[in-house]
């Protein structure tokens, strides 16, 4: 849940060499799942610790959240991936059709894109002729530079869904484990906060290094998000249910 | 939480005319917040309904989840947006420096990008000369076509954070409202499921229309994600805490 999907473009398309060298699609999915899994179940459990007397209830609610979140994230991600594949296919069809049926309009669009890049009229005339000589290449150019679409890998969606779900569940079990091992929600909360904040710091550090950001600042940011979410959840749960 | 950030590229960069015509950045943020807000708090509350005897507990946990999720999502999104702005600025600096210090290498990169598009050597020679004549335009070209980066609006991050948080909270209060208005968790669950599934169908329908996808299929997908997440949360909560 934590960061909205606006993180993804940066992660997914970030061509920063450090990212390209060290991270794969799977690593990115693990980061997505862990970011949310470490934060929200932690905050929910912390919130309930301020309102209920039994660790069992915190664990029940925490596990329900982990299951709900990991299914919503995994299945939602799978469907979004499928939609992306379908969207690409339908746009590809449309470009093929347009190149066939309104070639003059499409040629003008190529010219406009090249003008946008800063090419002179003479160079554009030559470039447009070359780019539109072969319909396949012409369509490929439109897909990439007019629409900004890269062909998605249809096998990626199910793989991502499973990785993200598992990473979310794993992340969520870390803060929850403290409640299994202690006898009261108060004790559970103290240990849970300690373990989770350390994990958020470590995770934020490596996540930032992976994406080429300052790692110490990234570690602190990650821990602050978790701590604030937990503190707010604690406050509201105590006010309502305490 | 639902869909991982992989949704965002499609939403954010989707140049499909229907999207461009009808949706703004704010509308996209509302969709992101509502998708998650309608799903996860609904599933958590449904899960707890199978395990606890008091509606008050479901409400406490639900509110804690809503607060935790909306802070994690909003604050996480804000920080991710800030990171994107910083990342763009640092890449811009780097490109300026490279154009100044290793112009031959950068010129070769421009040539390679143009070859990738499918331009002939003669056209490329001319195009490279034009694109690299003005350093500002040269850097702009590298940012957009080599790195695939568009300049982010620094004011967007705080706006998005607030919109997503509020949409998440609003979405989460819909399934939870049923527990306020009924006397037992079982009754609450029945009404919550009815209200939320209708909302998921309506929301899925409009979300799909907005992004140019088949709306009826989109409505069903959205409802299925919510229903499965809720059923799984119900199952685990009953097994653990019931």
């Amino acid at each position: 849940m934590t960061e909205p999907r606006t993180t993804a473009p940066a992660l997914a398309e970030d061509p920063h060499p450090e990212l390209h060298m060290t991270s794969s699609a799977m690593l990115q999915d693990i980061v997505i799942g862990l970011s949310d899994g470490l934060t929200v179940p932690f905050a929910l459990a912390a919130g309930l610790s301020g309102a209920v007397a039994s660790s069992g209830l915190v664990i029940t609610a925490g596990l329900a959240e982990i299951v709900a979140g990991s299914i919503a994230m995994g299945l939602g991600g799978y469907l979004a991936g499928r939609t992306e594949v379908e969207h690409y296919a339908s746009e590809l069809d449309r470009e093929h059709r347009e190149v066939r049926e309104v070639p003059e309009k499409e040629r003008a669009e190529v010219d406009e894109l090249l003008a946008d890049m800063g090419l002179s009229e003479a160079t554009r005339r030559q470039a447009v002729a070359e780019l539109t000589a072969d319909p396949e290449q012409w369509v490929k150019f439109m897909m990439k530079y007019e629409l900004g679409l890269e062909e998605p890998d249809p096998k990626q969606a199910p793989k991502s869904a499973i990785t993200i779900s598992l990473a979310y569940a794993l992340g969520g079990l870390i803060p929850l484990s403290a409640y299994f091992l202690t006898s009261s929600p108060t004790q559970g909360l103290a240990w849970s906060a300690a373990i989770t904040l350390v994990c958020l710091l470590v995770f934020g550090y490596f996540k930032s290094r992976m994406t080429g950001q300052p790692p110490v600042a990234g570690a602190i940011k990650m821990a602050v998000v978790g701590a604030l979410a937990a503190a707010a959840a604690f406050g509201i749960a105590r006010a309502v249910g305490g």
Side-chain angles (χ1 to χ4, degrees), chain A:
Chain A
M1 190 141 36
T2 60
E3 294 147 47
R5 306 335 146 0
T6 40
T7 334
L11 266 180
E13 295 168 24
D14 184 340
H16 198 287
E18 284 161 54
L19 181 65
H20 267 198
M21 268 187 283
T22 58
S23 87
S24 63
M26 188 180 224
L27 209 50
Q28 288 173 28
D29 288 334
I30 292 174
V31 165
I32 291 172
L34 272 184
S35 298
D36 290 1
L38 277 172
T39 320
V40 183
F42 164 54
L44 172 69
L48 285 179
S49 303
V52 303
S54 130
S55 287
L57 266 172
V58 177
I59 289 171
T60 303
L63 287 176
E65 210 286 338
I66 289 173
V67 169
S70 93
I71 288 186
M73 229 174 148
L75 193 58
Y78 171 70
L79 293 174
R82 280 254 314 258
T83 299
E84 208 188 328
V85 170
E86 286 160 21
H87 178 65
Y88 187 88
S90 81
E91 290 293 321
L92 192 65
D93 275 357
R94 200 173 68 142
E95 285 299 334
H96 272 294
R97 204 168 52 240
E98 287 179 353
V99 158
R100 218 165 39 233
E101 291 171 6
V102 285
E104 279 321 309
K105 193 173 150 278
E106 291 296 294
R107 207 167 271 130
E109 284 178 8
V110 174
D111 188 64
E112 204 182 306
L113 286 164
L114 297 173
D116 234 40
M117 289 179 194
L119 294 178
S120 72
E121 214 185 317
T123 309
R124 258 147 53 206
R125 203 170 307 128
Q126 211 173 315
V128 170
E130 287 174 10
L131 293 174
T132 61
D134 170 34
E136 280 306 313
Q137 182 186 301
W138 186 354
V139 166
K140 200 185 127 204
F141 179 85
M142 299 306 282
M143 291 300 286
K144 185 158 176 190
Y145 296 101
E146 188 204 6
L147 302 181
L149 295 177
E150 300 275 354
E151 187 166 6
D153 174 4
K155 286 188 216 123
Q156 190 53 48
K159 270 192 281 183
S160 282
I162 291 170
T163 311
I164 292 172
S165 283
L166 290 180
Y168 183 88
L170 180 73
L173 286 173
I174 292 172
L176 214 56
S177 65
Y179 296 90
F180 285 101
L181 304 170
T182 53
S183 54
S184 74
T186 321
Q187 275 189 312
L189 173 57
W191 281 101
S192 180
I195 297 168
T196 309
L197 289 175
V198 169
C199 286
L200 284 169
L201 286 168
V202 172
F203 172 68
Y205 184 89
F206 285 105
K207 177 184 169 183
S208 299
R209 275 199 49 174
M210 196 178 109
T211 53
Q213 302 302 318
V216 174
I220 293 168
K221 282 180 193 173
M222 199 80 214
V224 165
V225 172
L228 283 182
F234 187 92
I236 188 102
R238 172 147 285 189
V240 176

